[in-house]
Amino acid sequence: MPDDSQAAATYGTYLKIDDLLALQQPRSTGPEHDEILFIIIHQVYELWFKELLHEFDHVVELLEADQSHGSQHTLKRILTILKVMVSQLDILETMTPLEFLSFRERLDAASGFQSDQFRQVEFLLGVKSERTLERFEAGSRARIALERRFRAPTLWDAFLHYLARERYPVPPSALAREATAPLEPVPEIQQILIDVYRRDPKNAELCERLVDLDEGIQEWRYRHVKMVERTIGVKRGTGGSAGAAYLRETVGRPLFPDLWAIRSQF
Ligand code: HEM
């Protein structure tokens, strides 16, 4: 219901365009031409991360309410956003190493490595680490959000509970799993998933969307590391890591190992 006590919205006031356009503040003198692109791309990513978290929370709620159709619908939206996020890297790849170098030193220690929303997405998907958590200042917005997601069940946990309510014999130990522990392969769950794929098309579709999601995140990691290699080669990252060598280690690690393990068991 529109709130009549408020002034009539315009495009500019509703979307806070003046505030939005004031947020791109280059640090280089000049400023260097490509710094605006670099800032805007990162800000757009942060907005997409915010939207992803909003949609992921909804998927979890829908699974908890046994709404398989709704959760698939929302996962489809997430996957579509993820495709856009991956393809946005093409834009940044039009920036040459020299163009990046023209302002890189002004970034100081700033790096996507410090994106708390990216870590929130990882935590929700089961990639959790106390060390990551502790890098964020105690009491900050980022730390509070991450602490909540660190303790909360992951999307995979919500899926396992959903399968149990669908009368699959999910082992009690998997249902009572420590929410902060990494997701390890579980042979009994693989047997259940094989059964789902053979006899239960509705839930097999849901599994396929989770595989799409897993592959989509890996695709982003792969494209990001290739972009890093072509822009800074093997130099260290501004966030303090070994750079591409560190990032390569994160590529190809599945989120949901059971969904991959069963592919060689059919
Ligand atoms: C020229 C462009 C870019 C370069 C050269 C670059 C470089 C790097 C490097 C070297 C790292 C490793 C951590 C470090 O030591 O800094 C990193 C991590 C990361 N970057 Fe980028 N990056 C670029 C663009 C982006 C963009 C557009 C995003 C979008 C948000 C992004 C998000 C991330 C994230 C989330 C991490 C942490 C990955 C992880 O720990 O698994 N980066 N980046």
Side-chain angles (χ1 to χ4, degrees):
M1 281 273 280
D3 178 355
D4 291 337
S5 65
Q6 288 183 344
T10 64
Y11 182 80
T13 60
Y14 180 59
L15 297 173
K16 303 206 184 302
I17 300 295
D18 288 347
D19 294 339
L20 188 63
L21 297 182
L23 294 175
Q24 295 71 43
Q25 295 172 7
R27 286 170 60 102
S28 59
T29 45
E32 294 296 341
H33 182 83
D34 283 27
E35 193 177 354
I36 285 286
L37 170 68
F38 190 78
I39 292 171
I40 289 178
I41 287 265
H42 281 85
Q43 289 182 340
V44 168
Y45 267 106
E46 287 297 327
L47 290 175
W48 281 133
F49 289 146
K50 181 172 183 176
E51 171 65 10
L52 279 188
L53 289 163
H54 181 61
E55 300 294 349
F56 273 130
D57 286 339
H58 193 44
V59 175
V60 169
E61 278 166 17
L62 289 165
L63 282 174
E64 285 170 356
D66 298 328
Q67 294 194 29
S68 153
H69 182 77
S71 59
Q72 286 193 48
H73 174 72
T74 307
L75 273 171
K76 178 84 178 70
R77 177 177 296 171
I78 288 173
L79 295 166
T80 310
I81 295 171
L82 205 50
K83 289 262 174 246
V84 169
M85 292 174 78
V86 170
S87 69
Q88 275 178 194
L89 291 175
D90 289 347
I91 308 172
L92 211 45
E93 282 186 342
T94 65
M95 183 176 68
T96 66
L98 286 175
E99 282 164 342
F100 183 44
L101 272 183
S102 70
F103 62 89
R104 188 184 189 218
E105 65 180 26
R106 306 308 299 266
L107 302 180
D108 297 331
S111 163
F113 194 63
Q114 296 155 346
S115 164
D116 72 276
Q117 291 202 107
F118 178 79
R119 299 303 174 200
Q120 287 191 54
V121 171
E122 284 193 322
F123 280 17
L124 185 135
L125 296 175
V127 184
K128 295 183 182 182
S129 130
E130 208 150 5
R131 257 183 66 203
T132 300
L133 186 67
E134 283 163 1
R135 278 198 216 107
F136 293 85
E137 193 188 339
S140 63
R141 172 203 56 77
R143 176 72 173 256
I144 292 166
L146 276 165
E147 277 168 357
R148 183 174 72 78
R149 293 204 184 270
F150 188 65
R151 287 188 301 268
T154 68
L155 176 61
W156 185 250
D157 294 308
F159 175 63
L160 290 185
H161 279 86
Y162 162 79
L163 282 182
R165 291 191 303 276
E166 290 277 285
R167 303 190 188 287
Y168 284 97
V170 181
S173 57
L175 294 175
R177 213 183 66 81
E178 187 58 62
T180 58
L183 293 174
E184 304 285 1
V186 180
E188 293 94 320
I189 292 178
Q190 290 167 25
Q191 279 314 308
I192 291 172
L193 294 173
I194 289 172
D195 214 25
V196 167
Y197 271 82
R198 290 212 165 110
R199 298 194 294 114
D200 182 351
K202 177 188 74 171
N203 287 318
E205 275 301 303
L206 187 51
C207 291
E208 285 294 282
R209 296 297 75 78
L210 292 176
V211 177
D212 288 342
L213 171 63
D214 198 331
E215 196 175 333
I217 297 282
Q218 291 182 50
E219 194 184 349
W220 186 85
R221 290 192 196 276
Y222 172 78
R223 287 293 317 275
H224 173 261
V225 70
K226 284 292 149 197
M227 179 188 65
V228 170
E229 282 171 358
R230 69 186 277 173
T231 312
I232 61 166
V234 296
K235 290 183 197 164
R236 294 189 71 79
T238 46
S241 82
Y246 154 74
L247 293 168
R248 271 195 301 271
E249 282 170 26
T250 67
V251 179
R253 256 187 232 157
L255 296 169
F256 312 126
D258 290 325
L259 279 172
W260 295 91
I262 59 170
R263 314 239 148 208
S264 35
Q265 297 174 32
F266 285 116

